[in-house]
mmCIF file of all heavy atoms in Angstrom:
data_model
loop_
_atom_site.group_PDB
_atom_site.id
_atom_site.type_symbol
_atom_site.label_atom_id
_atom_site.label_comp_id
_atom_site.label_asym_id
_atom_site.label_seq_id
_atom_site.Cartn_x
_atom_site.Cartn_y
_atom_site.Cartn_z
ATOM 1 N N MET D 1 -50.518 86.325 -60.082
ATOM 2 C CA MET D 1 -49.366 87.106 -59.551
ATOM 3 C C MET D 1 -48.064 86.385 -59.824
ATOM 4 O O MET D 1 -47.026 87.024 -60.015
ATOM 5 C CB MET D 1 -49.562 87.321 -58.049
ATOM 6 C CG MET D 1 -50.688 88.307 -57.745
ATOM 7 S SD MET D 1 -50.418 89.957 -58.454
ATOM 8 C CE MET D 1 -51.941 90.168 -59.402
ATOM 9 N N ASP D 2 -48.076 85.056 -59.841
ATOM 10 C CA ASP D 2 -46.876 84.304 -60.215
ATOM 11 C C ASP D 2 -46.475 84.700 -61.640
ATOM 12 O O ASP D 2 -45.254 84.889 -61.936
ATOM 13 C CB ASP D 2 -47.124 82.786 -60.194
ATOM 14 C CG ASP D 2 -47.308 82.256 -58.764
ATOM 15 O OD1 ASP D 2 -46.981 82.966 -57.820
ATOM 16 O OD2 ASP D 2 -47.833 81.128 -58.637
ATOM 17 N N PHE D 3 -47.443 84.844 -62.513
ATOM 18 C CA PHE D 3 -47.151 85.192 -63.901
ATOM 19 C C PHE D 3 -46.618 86.638 -64.026
ATOM 20 O O PHE D 3 -45.673 86.885 -64.736
ATOM 21 C CB PHE D 3 -48.434 85.067 -64.766
ATOM 22 C CG PHE D 3 -48.214 85.358 -66.215
ATOM 23 C CD1 PHE D 3 -47.423 84.562 -66.999
ATOM 24 C CD2 PHE D 3 -48.821 86.480 -66.778
ATOM 25 C CE1 PHE D 3 -47.243 84.856 -68.349
ATOM 26 C CE2 PHE D 3 -48.638 86.781 -68.124
ATOM 27 C CZ PHE D 3 -47.818 85.953 -68.917
ATOM 28 N N ILE D 4 -47.193 87.538 -63.249
ATOM 29 C CA ILE D 4 -46.710 88.933 -63.259
ATOM 30 C C ILE D 4 -45.292 88.989 -62.717
ATOM 31 O O ILE D 4 -44.451 89.751 -63.239
ATOM 32 C CB ILE D 4 -47.673 89.841 -62.509
ATOM 33 C CG1 ILE D 4 -48.977 90.004 -63.331
ATOM 34 C CG2 ILE D 4 -47.057 91.203 -62.226
ATOM 35 C CD1 ILE D 4 -50.092 90.717 -62.584
ATOM 36 N N ALA D 5 -45.008 88.225 -61.657
ATOM 37 C CA ALA D 5 -43.641 88.147 -61.163
ATOM 38 C C ALA D 5 -42.681 87.659 -62.215
ATOM 39 O O ALA D 5 -41.559 88.142 -62.370
ATOM 40 C CB ALA D 5 -43.611 87.238 -59.943
ATOM 41 N N GLU D 6 -43.152 86.690 -63.062
ATOM 42 C CA GLU D 6 -42.321 86.150 -64.121
ATOM 43 C C GLU D 6 -42.010 87.193 -65.186
ATOM 44 O O GLU D 6 -40.931 87.170 -65.794
ATOM 45 C CB GLU D 6 -42.980 84.920 -64.768
ATOM 46 C CG GLU D 6 -42.924 83.662 -63.950
ATOM 47 C CD GLU D 6 -41.517 83.214 -63.605
ATOM 48 O OE1 GLU D 6 -40.572 83.517 -64.349
ATOM 49 O OE2 GLU D 6 -41.344 82.569 -62.561
ATOM 50 N N ILE D 7 -42.922 88.079 -65.395
ATOM 51 C CA ILE D 7 -42.674 89.173 -66.361
ATOM 52 C C ILE D 7 -41.448 89.999 -65.908
ATOM 53 O O ILE D 7 -40.543 90.278 -66.672
ATOM 54 C CB ILE D 7 -43.908 90.092 -66.537
ATOM 55 C CG1 ILE D 7 -45.055 89.331 -67.207
ATOM 56 C CG2 ILE D 7 -43.539 91.348 -67.348
ATOM 57 C CD1 ILE D 7 -46.361 90.116 -67.278
ATOM 58 N N VAL D 8 -41.440 90.354 -64.625
ATOM 59 C CA VAL D 8 -40.332 91.159 -64.068
ATOM 60 C C VAL D 8 -39.048 90.357 -64.042
ATOM 61 O O VAL D 8 -37.983 90.828 -64.417
ATOM 62 C CB VAL D 8 -40.689 91.676 -62.663
ATOM 63 C CG1 VAL D 8 -39.522 92.408 -62.048
ATOM 64 C CG2 VAL D 8 -41.931 92.605 -62.747
ATOM 65 N N LEU D 9 -39.126 89.107 -63.548
ATOM 66 C CA LEU D 9 -37.900 88.298 -63.405
ATOM 67 C C LEU D 9 -37.326 87.863 -64.752
ATOM 68 O O LEU D 9 -36.100 87.746 -64.882
ATOM 69 C CB LEU D 9 -38.206 87.076 -62.557
ATOM 70 C CG LEU D 9 -38.578 87.380 -61.072
ATOM 71 C CD1 LEU D 9 -38.994 86.153 -60.344
ATOM 72 C CD2 LEU D 9 -37.416 88.065 -60.357
ATOM 73 N N SER D 10 -38.180 87.691 -65.745
ATOM 74 C CA SER D 10 -37.689 87.382 -67.088
ATOM 75 C C SER D 10 -37.016 88.621 -67.731
ATOM 76 O O SER D 10 -36.085 88.493 -68.532
ATOM 77 C CB SER D 10 -38.845 86.916 -67.998
ATOM 78 O OG SER D 10 -39.362 85.689 -67.493
ATOM 79 N N TYR D 11 -37.487 89.810 -67.348
ATOM 80 C CA TYR D 11 -36.864 91.051 -67.761
ATOM 81 C C TYR D 11 -35.440 91.123 -67.151
ATOM 82 O O TYR D 11 -34.471 91.545 -67.819
ATOM 83 C CB TYR D 11 -37.709 92.232 -67.287
ATOM 84 C CG TYR D 11 -37.159 93.614 -67.553
ATOM 85 C CD1 TYR D 11 -36.745 94.008 -68.821
ATOM 86 C CD2 TYR D 11 -37.088 94.526 -66.514
ATOM 87 C CE1 TYR D 11 -36.270 95.281 -69.053
ATOM 88 C CE2 TYR D 11 -36.621 95.824 -66.744
ATOM 89 C CZ TYR D 11 -36.195 96.194 -67.995
ATOM 90 O OH TYR D 11 -35.745 97.469 -68.244
ATOM 91 N N VAL D 12 -35.318 90.673 -65.902
ATOM 92 C CA VAL D 12 -33.994 90.601 -65.254
ATOM 93 C C VAL D 12 -33.113 89.662 -66.058
ATOM 94 O O VAL D 12 -31.902 89.964 -66.278
ATOM 95 C CB VAL D 12 -34.120 90.131 -63.801
ATOM 96 C CG1 VAL D 12 -32.752 89.868 -63.205
ATOM 97 C CG2 VAL D 12 -34.871 91.171 -62.977
ATOM 98 N N ASP D 13 -33.646 88.514 -66.516
ATOM 99 C CA ASP D 13 -32.861 87.558 -67.311
ATOM 100 C C ASP D 13 -32.325 88.246 -68.555
ATOM 101 O O ASP D 13 -31.166 88.044 -68.956
ATOM 102 C CB ASP D 13 -33.753 86.368 -67.744
ATOM 103 C CG ASP D 13 -34.206 85.519 -66.574
ATOM 104 O OD1 ASP D 13 -33.609 85.653 -65.491
ATOM 105 O OD2 ASP D 13 -35.159 84.724 -66.746
ATOM 106 N N LEU D 14 -33.178 89.036 -69.199
ATOM 107 C CA LEU D 14 -32.751 89.741 -70.416
ATOM 108 C C LEU D 14 -31.643 90.733 -70.134
ATOM 109 O O LEU D 14 -30.634 90.775 -70.852
ATOM 110 C CB LEU D 14 -33.971 90.482 -71.020
ATOM 111 C CG LEU D 14 -33.703 91.373 -72.227
ATOM 112 C CD1 LEU D 14 -33.232 90.556 -73.416
ATOM 113 C CD2 LEU D 14 -34.933 92.179 -72.610
ATOM 114 N N LEU D 15 -31.795 91.546 -69.071
ATOM 115 C CA LEU D 15 -30.768 92.516 -68.725
ATOM 116 C C LEU D 15 -29.448 91.828 -68.369
ATOM 117 O O LEU D 15 -28.358 92.300 -68.704
ATOM 118 C CB LEU D 15 -31.239 93.366 -67.536
ATOM 119 C CG LEU D 15 -32.491 94.250 -67.760
ATOM 120 C CD1 LEU D 15 -32.884 94.993 -66.523
ATOM 121 C CD2 LEU D 15 -32.267 95.223 -68.933
ATOM 122 N N LEU D 16 -29.557 90.679 -67.682
ATOM 123 C CA LEU D 16 -28.328 89.941 -67.302
ATOM 124 C C LEU D 16 -27.652 89.398 -68.563
ATOM 125 O O LEU D 16 -26.411 89.441 -68.644
ATOM 126 C CB LEU D 16 -28.723 88.778 -66.368
ATOM 127 C CG LEU D 16 -27.585 87.893 -65.871
ATOM 128 C CD1 LEU D 16 -26.585 88.680 -65.081
ATOM 129 C CD2 LEU D 16 -28.127 86.747 -65.009
ATOM 130 N N SER D 17 -28.423 88.901 -69.512
ATOM 131 C CA SER D 17 -27.834 88.388 -70.765
ATOM 132 C C SER D 17 -27.019 89.476 -71.458
ATOM 133 O O SER D 17 -25.899 89.232 -71.941
ATOM 134 C CB SER D 17 -28.955 87.926 -71.720
ATOM 135 O OG SER D 17 -29.621 86.822 -71.175
ATOM 136 N N LYS D 18 -27.581 90.684 -71.522
ATOM 137 C CA LYS D 18 -26.909 91.790 -72.191
ATOM 138 C C LYS D 18 -25.599 92.154 -71.473
ATOM 139 O O LYS D 18 -24.580 92.376 -72.099
ATOM 140 C CB LYS D 18 -27.833 93.006 -72.244
ATOM 141 C CG LYS D 18 -28.993 92.825 -73.205
ATOM 142 C CD LYS D 18 -29.910 94.064 -73.183
ATOM 143 C CE LYS D 18 -31.055 93.926 -74.179
ATOM 144 N NZ LYS D 18 -31.968 95.077 -74.155
ATOM 145 N N LYS D 19 -25.622 92.170 -70.152
ATOM 146 C CA LYS D 19 -24.431 92.509 -69.367
ATOM 147 C C LYS D 19 -23.341 91.459 -69.531
ATOM 148 O O LYS D 19 -22.150 91.797 -69.616
ATOM 149 C CB LYS D 19 -24.827 92.623 -67.885
ATOM 150 C CG LYS D 19 -25.585 93.895 -67.534
ATOM 151 C CD LYS D 19 -24.636 95.084 -67.378
ATOM 152 C CE LYS D 19 -25.406 96.286 -66.811
ATOM 153 N NZ LYS D 19 -24.468 97.463 -66.674
ATOM 154 N N LEU D 20 -23.732 90.206 -69.556
ATOM 155 C CA LEU D 20 -22.722 89.139 -69.662
ATOM 156 C C LEU D 20 -22.090 89.130 -71.046
ATOM 157 O O LEU D 20 -20.917 88.770 -71.179
ATOM 158 C CB LEU D 20 -23.380 87.777 -69.368
ATOM 159 C CG LEU D 20 -23.875 87.597 -67.909
ATOM 160 C CD1 LEU D 20 -24.436 86.186 -67.705
ATOM 161 C CD2 LEU D 20 -22.775 87.884 -66.891
ATOM 162 N N ARG D 21 -22.828 89.535 -72.070
ATOM 163 C CA ARG D 21 -22.246 89.667 -73.404
ATOM 164 C C ARG D 21 -21.167 90.723 -73.399
ATOM 165 O O ARG D 21 -20.083 90.556 -73.969
ATOM 166 C CB ARG D 21 -23.306 89.986 -74.448
ATOM 167 C CG ARG D 21 -24.069 88.775 -74.954
ATOM 168 C CD ARG D 21 -24.730 89.002 -76.276
ATOM 169 N NE ARG D 21 -25.692 90.119 -76.236
ATOM 170 C CZ ARG D 21 -26.989 89.976 -75.908
ATOM 171 N NH1 ARG D 21 -27.447 88.787 -75.588
ATOM 172 N NH2 ARG D 21 -27.782 91.012 -75.907
ATOM 173 N N ILE D 22 -21.456 91.855 -72.711
ATOM 174 C CA ILE D 22 -20.477 92.958 -72.623
ATOM 175 C C ILE D 22 -19.246 92.494 -71.848
ATOM 176 O O ILE D 22 -18.109 92.851 -72.207
ATOM 177 C CB ILE D 22 -21.149 94.173 -71.920
ATOM 178 C CG1 ILE D 22 -22.254 94.740 -72.797
ATOM 179 C CG2 ILE D 22 -20.086 95.263 -71.600
ATOM 180 C CD1 ILE D 22 -23.123 95.788 -72.122
ATOM 181 N N LEU D 23 -19.455 91.693 -70.789
ATOM 182 C CA LEU D 23 -18.335 91.193 -69.988
ATOM 183 C C LEU D 23 -17.611 90.050 -70.650
ATOM 184 O O LEU D 23 -16.612 89.563 -70.119
ATOM 185 C CB LEU D 23 -18.876 90.763 -68.637
ATOM 186 C CG LEU D 23 -19.420 91.876 -67.724
ATOM 187 C CD1 LEU D 23 -20.107 91.293 -66.488
ATOM 188 C CD2 LEU D 23 -18.302 92.819 -67.295
ATOM 189 N N LYS D 24 -18.143 89.570 -71.815
ATOM 190 C CA LYS D 24 -17.548 88.456 -72.550
ATOM 191 C C LYS D 24 -17.481 87.165 -71.745
ATOM 192 O O LYS D 24 -16.515 86.371 -71.889
ATOM 193 C CB LYS D 24 -16.140 88.854 -73.086
ATOM 194 C CG LYS D 24 -16.194 89.943 -74.147
ATOM 195 C CD LYS D 24 -14.806 90.244 -74.686
ATOM 196 C CE LYS D 24 -14.864 91.095 -75.931
ATOM 197 N NZ LYS D 24 -15.629 92.332 -75.827
ATOM 198 N N ILE D 25 -18.472 86.968 -70.894
ATOM 199 C CA ILE D 25 -18.607 85.705 -70.185
ATOM 200 C C ILE D 25 -19.572 84.822 -71.014
ATOM 201 O O ILE D 25 -20.724 85.156 -71.222
ATOM 202 C CB ILE D 25 -19.204 85.906 -68.748
ATOM 203 C CG1 ILE D 25 -18.232 86.774 -67.952
ATOM 204 C CG2 ILE D 25 -19.434 84.582 -68.047
ATOM 205 C CD1 ILE D 25 -18.754 87.130 -66.563
ATOM 206 N N THR D 26 -19.009 83.717 -71.513
ATOM 207 C CA THR D 26 -19.819 82.912 -72.452
ATOM 208 C C THR D 26 -20.071 81.489 -72.002
ATOM 209 O O THR D 26 -21.047 80.857 -72.429
ATOM 210 C CB THR D 26 -19.111 82.870 -73.833
ATOM 211 O OG1 THR D 26 -17.778 82.334 -73.650
ATOM 212 C CG2 THR D 26 -18.981 84.256 -74.444
ATOM 213 N N LYS D 27 -19.186 80.957 -71.159
ATOM 214 C CA LYS D 27 -19.329 79.542 -70.757
ATOM 215 C C LYS D 27 -20.020 79.468 -69.387
ATOM 216 O O LYS D 27 -19.385 79.482 -68.341
ATOM 217 C CB LYS D 27 -17.927 78.872 -70.684
ATOM 218 C CG LYS D 27 -17.941 77.377 -70.369
ATOM 219 C CD LYS D 27 -18.644 76.570 -71.444
ATOM 220 C CE LYS D 27 -18.562 75.089 -71.139
ATOM 221 N NZ LYS D 27 -19.318 74.264 -72.120
ATOM 222 N N TYR D 28 -21.346 79.400 -69.447
ATOM 223 C CA TYR D 28 -22.139 79.350 -68.210
ATOM 224 C C TYR D 28 -23.513 78.809 -68.533
ATOM 225 O O TYR D 28 -23.924 78.739 -69.699
ATOM 226 C CB TYR D 28 -22.268 80.753 -67.583
ATOM 227 C CG TYR D 28 -23.085 81.715 -68.416
ATOM 228 C CD1 TYR D 28 -24.476 81.815 -68.244
ATOM 229 C CD2 TYR D 28 -22.491 82.505 -69.403
ATOM 230 C CE1 TYR D 28 -25.233 82.683 -69.030
ATOM 231 C CE2 TYR D 28 -23.237 83.376 -70.182
ATOM 232 C CZ TYR D 28 -24.593 83.478 -70.009
ATOM 233 O OH TYR D 28 -25.345 84.315 -70.770
ATOM 234 N N LYS D 29 -24.222 78.412 -67.518
ATOM 235 C CA LYS D 29 -25.634 78.007 -67.627
ATOM 236 C C LYS D 29 -26.337 78.450 -66.391
ATOM 237 O O LYS D 29 -25.842 78.244 -65.257
ATOM 238 C CB LYS D 29 -25.764 76.483 -67.776
ATOM 239 C CG LYS D 29 -27.161 75.971 -68.039
ATOM 240 C CD LYS D 29 -27.631 76.259 -69.450
ATOM 241 C CE LYS D 29 -28.974 75.620 -69.736
ATOM 242 N NZ LYS D 29 -29.413 75.838 -71.122
ATOM 243 N N ILE D 30 -27.504 79.068 -66.532
ATOM 244 C CA ILE D 30 -28.306 79.497 -65.373
ATOM 245 C C ILE D 30 -29.664 78.870 -65.456
ATOM 246 O O ILE D 30 -30.363 78.993 -66.475
ATOM 247 C CB ILE D 30 -28.422 81.050 -65.322
ATOM 248 C CG1 ILE D 30 -27.041 81.685 -65.197
ATOM 249 C CG2 ILE D 30 -29.339 81.479 -64.154
ATOM 250 C CD1 ILE D 30 -27.045 83.227 -65.296
ATOM 251 N N LEU D 31 -30.040 78.190 -64.389
ATOM 252 C CA LEU D 31 -31.402 77.648 -64.270
ATOM 253 C C LEU D 31 -32.129 78.512 -63.232
ATOM 254 O O LEU D 31 -31.644 78.691 -62.113
ATOM 255 C CB LEU D 31 -31.404 76.205 -63.786
ATOM 256 C CG LEU D 31 -30.684 75.186 -64.688
ATOM 257 C CD1 LEU D 31 -30.776 73.790 -64.101
ATOM 258 C CD2 LEU D 31 -31.208 75.203 -66.125
ATOM 259 N N ARG D 32 -33.242 79.060 -63.613
ATOM 260 C CA ARG D 32 -33.999 79.914 -62.689
ATOM 261 C C ARG D 32 -35.413 79.296 -62.476
ATOM 262 O O ARG D 32 -36.109 78.999 -63.462
ATOM 263 C CB ARG D 32 -34.147 81.349 -63.167
ATOM 264 C CG ARG D 32 -34.963 82.242 -62.195
ATOM 265 C CD ARG D 32 -35.011 83.662 -62.631
ATOM 266 N NE ARG D 32 -35.735 83.874 -63.880
ATOM 267 C CZ ARG D 32 -37.066 83.885 -63.967
ATOM 268 N NH1 ARG D 32 -37.824 83.652 -62.916
ATOM 269 N NH2 ARG D 32 -37.645 84.093 -65.160
ATOM 270 N N TYR D 33 -35.782 79.175 -61.239
ATOM 271 C CA TYR D 33 -37.173 78.787 -60.898
ATOM 272 C C TYR D 33 -37.712 79.881 -60.010
ATOM 273 O O TYR D 33 -37.335 79.981 -58.829
ATOM 274 C CB TYR D 33 -37.220 77.413 -60.204
ATOM 275 C CG TYR D 33 -38.669 76.920 -60.049
ATOM 276 C CD1 TYR D 33 -39.230 76.152 -61.075
ATOM 277 C CD2 TYR D 33 -39.438 77.258 -58.972
ATOM 278 C CE1 TYR D 33 -40.550 75.718 -60.992
ATOM 279 C CE2 TYR D 33 -40.756 76.821 -58.865
ATOM 280 C CZ TYR D 33 -41.288 76.071 -59.873
ATOM 281 O OH TYR D 33 -42.593 75.647 -59.772
ATOM 282 N N ARG D 34 -38.545 80.723 -60.591
ATOM 283 C CA ARG D 34 -39.033 81.901 -59.928
ATOM 284 C C ARG D 34 -37.874 82.730 -59.428
ATOM 285 O O ARG D 34 -37.064 83.239 -60.215
ATOM 286 C CB ARG D 34 -40.014 81.533 -58.811
ATOM 287 C CG ARG D 34 -40.988 82.644 -58.493
ATOM 288 C CD ARG D 34 -42.273 82.141 -57.857
ATOM 289 N NE ARG D 34 -43.011 81.317 -58.792
ATOM 290 C CZ ARG D 34 -43.602 80.161 -58.469
ATOM 291 N NH1 ARG D 34 -43.507 79.685 -57.259
ATOM 292 N NH2 ARG D 34 -44.292 79.513 -59.356
ATOM 293 N N ASP D 35 -37.705 82.927 -58.108
ATOM 294 C CA ASP D 35 -36.652 83.810 -57.597
ATOM 295 C C ASP D 35 -35.412 83.028 -57.175
ATOM 296 O O ASP D 35 -34.542 83.556 -56.487
ATOM 297 C CB ASP D 35 -37.168 84.646 -56.441
ATOM 298 C CG ASP D 35 -37.661 83.797 -55.275
ATOM 299 O OD1 ASP D 35 -37.853 82.596 -55.456
ATOM 300 O OD2 ASP D 35 -37.848 84.361 -54.177
ATOM 301 N N ASP D 36 -35.330 81.761 -57.522
ATOM 302 C CA ASP D 36 -34.224 80.892 -57.138
ATOM 303 C C ASP D 36 -33.307 80.647 -58.339
ATOM 304 O O ASP D 36 -33.785 80.241 -59.393
ATOM 305 C CB ASP D 36 -34.795 79.535 -56.612
ATOM 306 C CG ASP D 36 -33.700 78.603 -56.225
ATOM 307 O OD1 ASP D 36 -33.266 78.663 -55.058
ATOM 308 O OD2 ASP D 36 -33.303 77.779 -57.068
ATOM 309 N N TYR D 37 -31.998 80.923 -58.178
ATOM 310 C CA TYR D 37 -31.038 80.811 -59.268
ATOM 311 C C TYR D 37 -30.024 79.724 -58.986
ATOM 312 O O TYR D 37 -29.513 79.603 -57.844
ATOM 313 C CB TYR D 37 -30.294 82.134 -59.454
ATOM 314 C CG TYR D 37 -31.128 83.291 -59.917
ATOM 315 C CD1 TYR D 37 -31.879 84.016 -59.008
ATOM 316 C CD2 TYR D 37 -31.170 83.675 -61.250
ATOM 317 C CE1 TYR D 37 -32.647 85.112 -59.429
ATOM 318 C CE2 TYR D 37 -31.907 84.773 -61.680
ATOM 319 C CZ TYR D 37 -32.655 85.477 -60.768
ATOM 320 O OH TYR D 37 -33.410 86.557 -61.152
ATOM 321 N N ARG D 38 -29.662 78.982 -60.030
ATOM 322 C CA ARG D 38 -28.537 78.064 -59.991
ATOM 323 C C ARG D 38 -27.606 78.459 -61.136
ATOM 324 O O ARG D 38 -27.968 78.361 -62.317
ATOM 325 C CB ARG D 38 -28.985 76.604 -60.143
ATOM 326 C CG ARG D 38 -29.892 76.162 -58.985
ATOM 327 C CD ARG D 38 -30.274 74.695 -59.116
ATOM 328 N NE ARG D 38 -31.113 74.312 -57.979
ATOM 329 C CZ ARG D 38 -31.303 73.072 -57.566
ATOM 330 N NH1 ARG D 38 -30.735 72.075 -58.199
ATOM 331 N NH2 ARG D 38 -32.045 72.791 -56.511
ATOM 332 N N ILE D 39 -26.389 78.916 -60.784
ATOM 333 C CA ILE D 39 -25.448 79.454 -61.767
ATOM 334 C C ILE D 39 -24.306 78.452 -61.959
ATOM 335 O O ILE D 39 -23.535 78.208 -60.992
ATOM 336 C CB ILE D 39 -24.931 80.827 -61.358
ATOM 337 C CG1 ILE D 39 -26.104 81.809 -61.171
ATOM 338 C CG2 ILE D 39 -23.890 81.366 -62.346
ATOM 339 C CD1 ILE D 39 -25.732 83.105 -60.452
ATOM 340 N N PHE D 40 -24.176 77.840 -63.129
ATOM 341 C CA PHE D 40 -23.181 76.828 -63.404
ATOM 342 C C PHE D 40 -22.032 77.414 -64.219
ATOM 343 O O PHE D 40 -22.304 78.097 -65.235
ATOM 344 C CB PHE D 40 -23.791 75.655 -64.157
ATOM 345 C CG PHE D 40 -24.882 74.939 -63.428
ATOM 346 C CD1 PHE D 40 -26.163 75.395 -63.428
ATOM 347 C CD2 PHE D 40 -24.585 73.784 -62.680
ATOM 348 C CE1 PHE D 40 -27.192 74.748 -62.740
ATOM 349 C CE2 PHE D 40 -25.584 73.118 -61.994
ATOM 350 C CZ PHE D 40 -26.888 73.603 -62.003
ATOM 351 N N THR D 41 -20.800 77.182 -63.812
ATOM 352 C CA THR D 41 -19.600 77.647 -64.543
ATOM 353 C C THR D 41 -18.466 76.632 -64.360
ATOM 354 O O THR D 41 -18.560 75.707 -63.546
ATOM 355 C CB THR D 41 -19.119 79.042 -64.064
ATOM 356 O OG1 THR D 41 -18.627 78.883 -62.711
ATOM 357 C CG2 THR D 41 -20.208 80.065 -64.099
ATOM 358 N N ASN D 42 -17.401 76.881 -65.087
ATOM 359 C CA ASN D 42 -16.166 76.111 -64.863
ATOM 360 C C ASN D 42 -15.118 76.949 -64.173
ATOM 361 O O ASN D 42 -13.983 76.500 -63.924
ATOM 362 C CB ASN D 42 -15.601 75.601 -66.196
ATOM 363 C CG ASN D 42 -16.382 74.411 -66.724
ATOM 364 O OD1 ASN D 42 -16.718 73.498 -65.954
ATOM 365 N ND2 ASN D 42 -16.747 74.425 -67.990
#
């Protein structure tokens, strides 16, 4: 079930990547561990 959750959450990562490209946000780093996010920016 952890793996199945990763399928869904990795899909979220993909959708977020696409949206951020449209928004032209390029200088960032996101570390995700399961449902926990750390979003780094300047």
Side-chain angles (χ1 to χ4, degrees):
M1 290 300 125
D2 291 344
F3 181 67
I4 289 171
E6 285 301 333
I7 292 174
V8 175
L9 294 174
S10 295
Y11 176 53
V12 171
D13 295 343
L14 175 64
L15 297 178
L16 181 60
S17 295
K18 291 178 177 178
K19 285 281 188 180
L20 295 182
R21 278 201 300 273
I22 294 169
L23 294 171
K24 293 183 167 52
I25 298 176
T26 58
K27 185 63 177 176
Y28 66 91
K29 184 75 174 182
I30 298 173
L31 301 181
R32 179 176 66 77
Y33 189 88
R34 204 157 295 136
D35 60 346
D36 179 87
Y37 294 82
R38 297 183 178 201
I39 301 168
F40 298 84
T41 67
N42 283 316

